[in-house]
Amino acid sequence: MPAVRNALIWDTGRDRAEYGDIVIKDGYISSVTAPKEAEGPILYDCKGRCLVLPGLVNAHTHVSMTLLRGLGEELPLMEWLQKKIFPIEDRLTAQNIRSGADLAVMEMIAAGVTCFADMYYFMDEVAKSVLESGMRAALCRGLPGDNADKLAENLALAEAYNGREGRITVQLGPHAIYTVPRPALERIVAAARDKNLGIHFHWLETKGELDSLRNEHKIEPADYLESTGLLGVKELILAHCVWHPTDQLSAVARDNVTFVHNPKSNMKLGSGYAPLKEFISSGVRVALGTDGAASNNRLDMWDETRFAALLHKGYNLDPTVAGAREILKMATVNGSYGTGFRDAGFIKAGRRADMVIVDMDNPRYVGCDPGNVPEFVVYAGSSRDVRATIVDGKILYKDGEFMTLDSEKILAAASRDRGSLTR
Ligand code: NI
């Protein structure tokens, strides 16, 4: 059986990293042995100089927005959306969605991301990009307004792709409270329950959304989530949650609910600081995401982990908040659970063989030892150190080469499509 050999292995289940071989069978880790003991083919030889971590999960993004990167910079959220983003989105074709998704998948694979949660449209194209690239994803069709045709499209996406190759889950994607009227949201929730699907929803990204719930809907956020039935769906992915009141967290500290923290997008759009310290202390599962490339502008989870860890220390005037281990838990296993892949997220027997191999043979890792791996990864590490990305035991990226993608073709198609959109 193939093995990743002689690696320094860390996941959130370990206090200290350990050297070992990771033996893989049928896409799963079959055992973790002492270093240099595994027999059979070598998938990657770490030679004692690479770290292996569980694959990173980007738990909220819009991959095809890589084609919109850099447009409408430094505008307020609603002006940015209405003047710059929505008019171009109205013109995006299925081909544009595919070339943008391929570009994002290429960027993420090279940075150790093994799974992402995506909300957009023409999602069949994103699904094809996922299947061909070898990545894992949680996909939904964004559902703005009250539109039965779009909901039917989302349900057809689920019919076609939910569970496909064990690498795709499909959720329903009501866009946000400012675009979806409550009766339409309730119909989407009913459909999710009927088909046993999860929901992926933008939740209280801006203060305006909290104000509209209170002033127009006359309801508190936790009561809205409860009374619409959202809390009862299979997996509820709530993106942003910047303005979720800290006295209403017990309602969302549930096994089926994941808050996705998107700190760089929230800072760039001036949306505010999510109260991460209180989310964590209340027992809410928090994952990390980049949001789309038009508001980040990177799809780099290393960048996101470092930024999240620093931001909340500064905001709380407390260096003990958002520790490196907690942040990596958010970026790995919490993202896996939130996106419906509960058998991923750890480097141990019985878990899916999704991992990132990181070069320690570089200046940033001098001083890294089995006792301080997460701190080195979060504070000193960089996506530039990624040597290989593995999903289901298959190498997608190795030593600068893409094994499943034609990177030149993807760059050419994306450049052409970007040019045609902004001409
Ligand atoms: Ni978003």
Short mmCIF file of all heavy atoms in Angstrom, two decimals, residues 60-62 202 205 239-240 291-292, ligand 1:
data_model
loop_
_atom_site.label_atom_id
_atom_site.label_comp_id
_atom_site.label_asym_id
_atom_site.label_seq_id
_atom_site.Cartn_x
_atom_site.Cartn_y
_atom_site.Cartn_z
N HIS A 60 -15.93 28.96 3.18
CA HIS A 60 -16.90 29.84 2.50
C HIS A 60 -16.18 30.63 1.41
O HIS A 60 -15.30 31.45 1.69
CB HIS A 60 -17.58 30.82 3.46
CG HIS A 60 -18.46 31.81 2.74
ND1 HIS A 60 -19.66 31.44 2.18
CD2 HIS A 60 -18.30 33.13 2.44
CE1 HIS A 60 -20.21 32.50 1.58
NE2 HIS A 60 -19.40 33.54 1.72
N THR A 61 -16.57 30.38 0.17
CA THR A 61 -15.98 31.15 -0.92
C THR A 61 -16.95 31.17 -2.11
O THR A 61 -18.07 30.63 -2.03
CB THR A 61 -14.59 30.57 -1.32
OG1 THR A 61 -13.98 31.43 -2.29
CG2 THR A 61 -14.70 29.16 -1.89
N HIS A 62 -16.54 31.88 -3.14
CA HIS A 62 -17.27 31.93 -4.41
C HIS A 62 -16.17 31.81 -5.45
O HIS A 62 -15.59 32.82 -5.85
CB HIS A 62 -18.03 33.25 -4.54
CG HIS A 62 -18.82 33.63 -3.31
ND1 HIS A 62 -20.07 33.10 -3.06
CD2 HIS A 62 -18.53 34.42 -2.25
CE1 HIS A 62 -20.51 33.58 -1.90
NE2 HIS A 62 -19.59 34.38 -1.38
N HIS A 202 -25.46 33.34 3.86
CA HIS A 202 -24.69 34.49 4.38
C HIS A 202 -25.46 35.04 5.59
O HIS A 202 -26.64 35.40 5.45
CB HIS A 202 -24.61 35.61 3.34
CG HIS A 202 -23.67 35.32 2.21
ND1 HIS A 202 -24.08 35.03 0.95
CD2 HIS A 202 -22.30 35.31 2.17
CE1 HIS A 202 -23.03 34.84 0.16
NE2 HIS A 202 -21.94 35.01 0.88
N GLU A 205 -23.50 39.54 7.92
CA GLU A 205 -22.17 40.02 7.52
C GLU A 205 -22.01 41.49 7.90
O GLU A 205 -20.93 41.91 8.31
CB GLU A 205 -22.02 39.84 6.00
CG GLU A 205 -20.72 40.37 5.41
CD GLU A 205 -20.59 40.09 3.91
OE1 GLU A 205 -21.53 39.52 3.33
OE2 GLU A 205 -19.54 40.43 3.34
N ALA A 239 -22.16 31.84 6.94
CA ALA A 239 -20.94 32.58 6.58
C ALA A 239 -20.95 33.96 7.22
O ALA A 239 -22.00 34.60 7.32
CB ALA A 239 -20.85 32.71 5.07
N HIS A 240 -19.80 34.38 7.68
CA HIS A 240 -19.52 35.71 8.26
C HIS A 240 -19.91 35.84 9.74
O HIS A 240 -19.05 35.92 10.58
CB HIS A 240 -20.14 36.85 7.43
CG HIS A 240 -19.63 36.89 6.04
ND1 HIS A 240 -18.33 37.17 5.75
CD2 HIS A 240 -20.24 36.63 4.85
CE1 HIS A 240 -18.14 37.10 4.43
NE2 HIS A 240 -19.27 36.76 3.87
N ASP A 291 -13.91 33.81 1.66
CA ASP A 291 -14.89 34.51 0.84
C ASP A 291 -14.33 34.58 -0.59
O ASP A 291 -13.30 33.99 -0.89
CB ASP A 291 -15.22 35.88 1.44
CG ASP A 291 -16.65 36.35 1.09
OD1 ASP A 291 -17.39 35.59 0.42
OD2 ASP A 291 -17.03 37.46 1.48
N GLY A 292 -15.00 35.27 -1.47
CA GLY A 292 -14.56 35.30 -2.87
C GLY A 292 -13.29 36.12 -3.07
O GLY A 292 -12.94 36.97 -2.24
NI NI B 1 -19.78 35.25 0.53
#
